[in-house]
Amino acid sequence: MLVFILQSHENYVSLFWTGKFVIFLLLCICVRISGVRVIGHDTAVEYGEDAQLLCHLTETNAYDITRIVWKKTTRRTTKEDIFFVISQGNITKHINGLGDRVQFIGNFAERNGSIQLRGMEFLDEGTYTCSFNLFSSVPLEVDIKASVFARPAVTVKGEEPVAGCLEVILASCFASNARPAAEVTWRLGDLENFLKTRTNHTVNANETITVESYLLGVPFKHLHKKNIQCVVKHNTLREDLVLNYTIDIHYPPESVIIIPDSSTDVKEFRCIVDSNPQPIPRGYSWTRVNKSTPVYEGNRLPVQIMNPELNGLYICNASNKYGSALGSLYVNVHTETSSICWVLFSLVIIVGLAVAVGVIFKFKREWIPVPVLGQNEQSDPAVGL
């Protein structure tokens, strides 16, 4: 019984010292790796670009590192697996098929395990783990998140609605093939109370997202040529992308007027039409009253010489694909106008001369002394002798 107790006591003493030694080793290891950590940086790149996954180990000797191991959990493979291993002397080994897409850009001796992934795809998004295997401790790791985005392709499309009373799409703004989805809004200014918007999101086969924003309203004519803006926001853009658009409302001709090109030297008559779109050259037809056939096509009617032969009522018929309207101009040319003026001028001269002569005769006695025969005979004593 005593021997057994002594043996148990010896075993207890042996276990005691063994435990102390293990604790001492653990304390030494903890002291050696205290403050040592792996530093990594998350990254985000555009689809098709190269991603740099940066990591390095701090405050330890390079000879303590046995190897650097890269692991990943991505949308391509949800199970964590090793895909790249780096050993002393910058010796690399590719595993699990990424092959030449992985390039070592660090330095083993400098405790830098950074790599570059070429041609990032959406399925490459996920968590990449940089692990330093140390000779005297458990591996030290850092997780790096890699994101892949796509810049939106932005366009504005006009719908060219016809003037009416029913609500229709006036314009559309597209932010296509983006990842993540872009934000699309409108700046409408004074039209804010007259128009409204509707937005749809579509997930494409390659997992990009297309945002479609529609501008809705009743196509009244007063909206024609009003300026609006489509605004697109996305994390790939340093500032908002603003696209200007002018609302385009189609309507038939509503007013037609004919005007001469000059007030003095007329060379042509012009047909001015309020419509959208404007009539094509064949959409204009000129006629003169009592003339059954058109005299010209196009919005300009040439005039060679203004004379009475051009007198009459001219009509311009303008039409587009939505309707037509008429405008008219009455032409009245008088060639005797100048003769009448000369006749009137001559009459004025003659009347003026007659008045002048009358005035002269009226006041002749005051201007010129004229002797009176009766008076002279009485005053002369020699007369009658």
Side-chain angles (χ1 to χ4, degrees):
M1 184 68 179
L2 181 59
V3 174
F4 174 76
I5 293 174
L6 290 174
Q7 288 179 350
S8 298
H9 179 73
E10 291 176 357
N11 291 338
Y12 174 78
V13 172
S14 176
L15 290 173
F16 174 78
W17 287 108
T18 300
K20 278 200 168 187
F21 179 73
V22 171
I23 292 173
F24 174 77
L25 288 177
L26 290 175
L27 289 174
C28 290
I29 292 173
C30 291
V31 170
R32 291 189 62 186
I33 66 174
S34 62
V36 179
R37 60 194 181 97
V38 182
I39 298 177
H41 303 278
D42 295 342
T43 185
V45 297
E46 189 171 354
Y47 180 87
E49 290 185 349
D50 300 338
Q52 292 186 351
L53 306 182
L54 305 179
C55 80
H56 68 277
L57 184 67
T58 64
E59 299 181 16
T60 187
N61 296 322
Y63 58 81
D64 287 338
I65 305 173
T66 59
R67 63 176 186 171
I68 305 172
V69 177
W70 278 92
K71 299 176 287 185
K72 61 182 175 64
T73 303
T74 65
R75 301 180 63 205
R76 193 185 304 273
T77 56
T78 57
K79 177 183 177 182
E80 184 179 66
D81 56 9
I82 296 174
F83 67 94
F84 196 59
V85 177
I86 307 161
S87 303
Q88 290 186 3
N90 295 330
I91 299 174
T92 61
K93 181 179 180 181
H94 298 272
I95 305 173
N96 292 328
L98 288 181
D100 293 339
R101 290 189 60 200
V102 185
Q103 181 181 5
F104 181 47
I105 59 174
N107 189 305
F108 191 95
E110 296 176 358
R111 308 181 302 278
N112 187 343
S114 302
I115 62 173
Q116 178 176 270
L117 294 180
R118 297 177 177 175
M120 291 290 286
E121 301 175 357
F122 297 126
L123 293 178
D124 293 322
E125 281 189 333
T127 301
Y128 293 79
T129 302
C130 176
S131 177
F132 284 83
N133 291 357
L134 304 180
F135 177 77
S136 57
S137 71
V138 296
L140 299 179
E141 301 178 343
V142 66
D143 291 335
I144 299 173
K145 292 183 179 180
S147 302
V148 181
F149 58 83
R151 194 183 306 272
V154 182
T155 56
V156 174
K157 177 185 176 183
E159 302 298 336
E160 299 180 351
V162 181
C165 299
L166 299 179
E167 185 178 83
V168 297
I169 297 176
L170 302 178
S172 305
C173 188
F174 300 90
S176 306
N177 304 320
R179 182 180 175 88
E183 179 185 349
V184 181
T185 57
W186 294 87
R187 292 176 184 170
L188 304 177
D190 296 338
L191 303 179
E192 192 75 34
N193 296 327
F194 298 95
L195 306 177
K196 61 182 181 181
T197 61
R198 184 181 70 214
T199 303
N200 296 332
H201 292 71
T202 303
V203 179
N204 305 313
N206 62 354
E207 298 187 353
T208 59
I209 301 172
T210 295
V211 179
E212 308 165 358
S213 185
Y214 301 100
L215 186 64
L216 305 174
V218 178
F220 295 126
K221 181 186 172 183
H222 78 273
L223 296 177
H224 183 54
K225 293 186 177 180
K226 295 293 185 179
N227 296 319
I228 56 175
Q229 293 178 326
C230 174
V231 182
V232 177
K233 298 181 179 181
H234 195 258
N235 57 8
T236 63
L237 304 173
R238 293 184 178 180
E239 57 185 16
D240 295 348
L241 182 61
V242 180
L243 284 79
N244 296 315
Y245 179 73
T246 302
I247 297 177
D248 189 14
I249 305 295
H250 284 200
Y251 56 93
E254 294 189 355
S255 66
V256 179
I257 60 173
I258 302 174
I259 60 173
D261 63 334
S262 172
S263 60
T264 56
D265 186 16
V266 179
K267 299 297 184 183
E268 64 182 13
F269 298 137
R270 298 177 182 175
C271 189
I272 309 300
V273 183
D274 178 17
S275 69
N276 186 42
Q278 286 289 299
I280 61 175
R282 291 186 178 181
Y284 294 92
S285 176
W286 292 83
T287 57
R288 186 166 53 171
V289 173
N290 299 327
K291 300 289 184 178
S292 59
T293 57
V295 295
Y296 197 73
E297 289 184 350
N299 68 327
R300 298 171 183 264
L301 178 64
V303 176
Q304 295 181 353
I305 300 176
M306 292 295 292
N307 56 51
E309 294 182 359
L310 297 176
N311 290 350
L313 181 62
Y314 289 81
I315 297 176
C316 175
N317 183 7
S319 61
N320 61 15
K321 60 183 178 180
Y322 304 112
S324 62
L326 300 175
S328 62
L329 174 68
Y330 183 77
V331 177
N332 188 14
V333 180
H334 298 279
T335 56
E336 65 275 10
T337 303
S338 355
S339 300
I340 294 173
C341 289
W342 280 111
V343 171
L344 292 175
F345 180 73
S346 301
L347 290 175
V348 170
I349 296 297
I350 293 171
V351 172
L353 289 174
V355 172
V357 171
V359 171
I360 290 173
F361 278 99
K362 181 178 179 180
F363 299 99
K364 179 179 179 182
R365 294 181 180 180
E366 297 178 2
W367 295 344
I368 303 174
V370 179
V372 180
L373 294 179
Q375 293 178 354
N376 291 338
E377 291 178 354
Q378 295 177 359
S379 62
D380 190 351
V383 176
L385 293 174

